[in-house]
Amino acid sequence: MKGKPLCLMLLLVVSLFASHCSSLPLSTNKRWIVDESGKRVKLHCVNWSSHLNSMLGEGLDIIHLKDLVAEIKKIGFNCVRYTWATHMFTRYSTHKVGQTLNSLKLPGIRLGLRPYNPFLENATLVEAFDAVNDEFGKQGVMVLADNHVSDPKWCCDDNDGNGFFGDQHFNPEEWLQGLSMVANRVKGKSQVVAIGLRNELRGPSQNESDWYKYMSQGATRVHEANPNVLVSVSGLNYDTDLSFLKTRPLNVEVGNKLVYEVHSSAWSSGSPSDWIEQPVNKKCESVMKGLNDKAGFVMNGAALVMSEFGMDMTNRDEKNHRFLSCILAYLAGVGLDWALWAAQGGYYVREQDKIVDELWHMDVLI
């Protein structure tokens, strides 16, 4: 297999971080995520997309759902960051999977479901969401249900209308409604251990004042609807910056259920070319310092998860290798919970293109 040494390195990291959850739901104890007995639960997750135009978990036309989940578990991941779009619940909840695929002119994907997951074709989109979460539960895999976008589409850029509260597709009231609907829908599903309020806030309209206002409202709405789940809060600038919390904490009454998120990629701090143009130790030290300054400091009293990191698996050049080695060292050094991008090998439709490869796909998965 091309790139086998890198995959083996990632799998080794998963095995080193392995832990098992003994009792759900989860809570926090200072910087740690813990189970009901108070024992730390280390989240080592993989992202799986369900927020794009089809509003269906990617890859279900080529593999049985139970086999996909089993493969994720076999590799050593104990949770999945499963993404969803607000409008799937607030506008399209009664739309059926097969009809949605037809409207996207994807009859081949609809036909592909029949030999692998035939029960999905005539299920509504939210019933399909339930089915995926139920299979995670059957196999003992935890879920972080992440609100990735409002309008179902590829994420992200500054001007896609999904970046910040008040943008074209990001109505705050509808967003709150969607959070409530999901929080209520996963009641009784103990495997859904967390709900992510929003992925990668960004764009020209982002500001701290609205961040505090709406993130506190979102956290409260989720907690009121379902006090068992962790509430996962992302920062600004594509979820790379929580530094404003140093001077003004997020005051929200959700008990011991608050978790923060941070993302990191080769371009999160400076140019990707820095990884080959600068001494690797100097660049890595700078990245680690930046991570601690913008997000890592919250671990002094709160839980933090690196909910996205990864690299282009089709371009395993020196800069990508150096970035990944640095991030893995950081994760191990501070004992951080994390979620790798990504499980899916491609997308039914991405932007204007159909059947698009995911270059950051971990090639031991689908």
Side-chain angles (χ1 to χ4, degrees):
M1 178 190 298
K2 182 181 178 182
K4 187 175 180 181
L6 178 60
C7 289
L8 291 176
M9 180 176 71
L10 288 169
L11 294 181
L12 176 61
V13 171
V14 169
S15 67
L16 288 173
F17 289 158
S19 65
H20 300 281
C21 181
S22 56
S23 56
L24 300 173
L26 303 182
S27 301
T28 61
N29 181 0
K30 298 181 180 178
R31 66 154 294 190
W32 306 114
I33 295 172
V34 298
D35 67 12
E36 284 196 305
S37 71
K39 179 182 176 182
R40 187 195 176 184
V41 176
K42 180 65 176 286
L43 300 181
H44 39 91
C45 318
V46 67
N47 283 268
W48 181 20
S49 294
S50 181
H51 66 273
L52 277 78
N53 308 60
S54 67
M55 294 166 278
L56 178 69
E58 305 290 344
L60 292 174
D61 62 322
I62 60 173
I63 188 172
H64 294 284
L65 173 59
K66 65 178 181 180
D67 292 340
L68 189 157
V69 176
E71 187 67 20
I72 288 172
K73 185 175 181 180
K74 178 182 176 182
I75 290 169
F77 297 105
N78 67 358
C79 74
V80 170
R81 184 175 181 249
Y82 192 57
T83 66
W84 55 276
T86 299
H87 293 173
M88 187 180 92
F89 291 89
T90 59
R91 303 185 186 187
Y92 308 123
S93 63
T94 61
H95 290 213
K96 292 189 175 180
V97 170
Q99 294 170 339
T100 301
L101 293 172
N102 281 349
S103 71
L104 295 170
K105 296 181 172 53
L106 294 169
I109 302 299
R110 181 172 185 170
L111 289 173
L113 291 177
R114 293 176 182 173
Y116 293 104
N117 298 289
F119 63 95
L120 290 176
E121 185 178 2
N122 292 311
T124 66
L125 294 167
V126 294
E127 287 170 346
F129 178 83
D130 289 342
V132 170
N133 283 314
D134 289 345
E135 188 60 39
F136 287 135
K138 289 176 186 176
Q139 299 197 38
V141 176
M142 295 177 289
V143 183
L144 194 168
D146 176 69
N147 177 234
H148 220 68
V149 291
S150 292
D151 185 42
K153 62 173 59 174
W154 171 250
C155 176
C156 306
D157 65 56
D158 281 355
N159 300 300
D160 62 9
N162 280 285
F164 199 71
F165 306 103
D167 283 359
Q168 180 184 1
H169 302 299
F170 197 168
N171 179 283
E173 288 304 316
E174 187 172 11
W175 169 73
L176 290 170
Q177 180 189 2
L179 289 175
S180 293
M181 294 172 77
V182 171
N184 277 296
R185 196 161 190 96
V186 301
K187 273 184 177 178
K189 299 179 188 291
S190 61
Q191 72 275 19
V192 182
V193 297
I195 292 178
L197 298 187
R198 190 65 171 203
N199 177 70
E200 295 194 352
L201 294 164
R202 60 196 179 276
S205 62
Q206 64 181 326
N207 64 86
E208 293 176 14
S209 178
D210 282 342
W211 184 91
Y212 281 100
K213 175 182 176 180
Y214 291 118
M215 282 307 203
S216 62
Q217 290 181 13
T220 300
R221 189 70 66 93
V222 168
H223 188 66
E224 287 177 348
N226 188 341
N228 284 328
V229 295
L230 297 170
V231 179
S232 190
V233 175
S234 61
L236 297 174
N237 295 317
Y238 291 85
D239 202 6
T240 62
D241 190 4
L242 290 161
S243 60
F244 45 87
L245 292 172
K246 293 177 182 177
T247 55
R248 182 185 171 189
L250 179 63
N251 293 317
V252 61
E253 297 297 327
V254 296
N256 55 354
K257 297 292 185 178
L258 183 63
V259 175
Y260 292 102
E261 298 184 44
V262 65
H263 292 177
S264 186
S265 61
W267 57 82
S268 295
S269 177
S271 169
S273 63
D274 290 348
W275 290 99
I276 53 176
E277 293 175 355
Q278 296 182 9
V280 63
N281 289 344
K282 179 180 178 182
K283 175 62 177 177
C284 187
E285 181 184 9
S286 173
V287 167
M288 290 184 177
K289 185 173 183 283
L291 279 168
N292 284 330
D293 183 57
K294 291 189 174 183
F297 69 91
V298 304
M299 290 185 286
N300 290 329
L304 180 69
V305 177
M306 184 173 284
S307 56
E308 281 188 28
F309 78 100
M311 59 172 270
D312 184 347
M313 294 293 183
T314 68
N315 182 25
R316 298 180 175 95
D317 60 11
E318 189 63 22
K319 71 174 182 297
N320 276 320
H321 277 285
R322 290 182 175 188
F323 160 74
L324 189 62
S325 296
C326 179
I327 291 303
L328 292 178
Y330 181 78
L331 294 174
V334 300
L336 198 60
D337 301 77
W338 49 265
L340 178 71
W341 190 279
Q344 68 274 357
Y347 303 95
Y348 308 127
V349 57
R350 173 173 161 174
E351 298 175 296
Q352 302 302 314
D353 299 320
K354 298 174 183 177
I355 319 302
V356 180
D357 289 341
E358 169 54 81
L359 302 182
W360 287 33
H361 165 57
M362 187 174 178
D363 54 6
V364 293
L365 294 177
I366 58 169

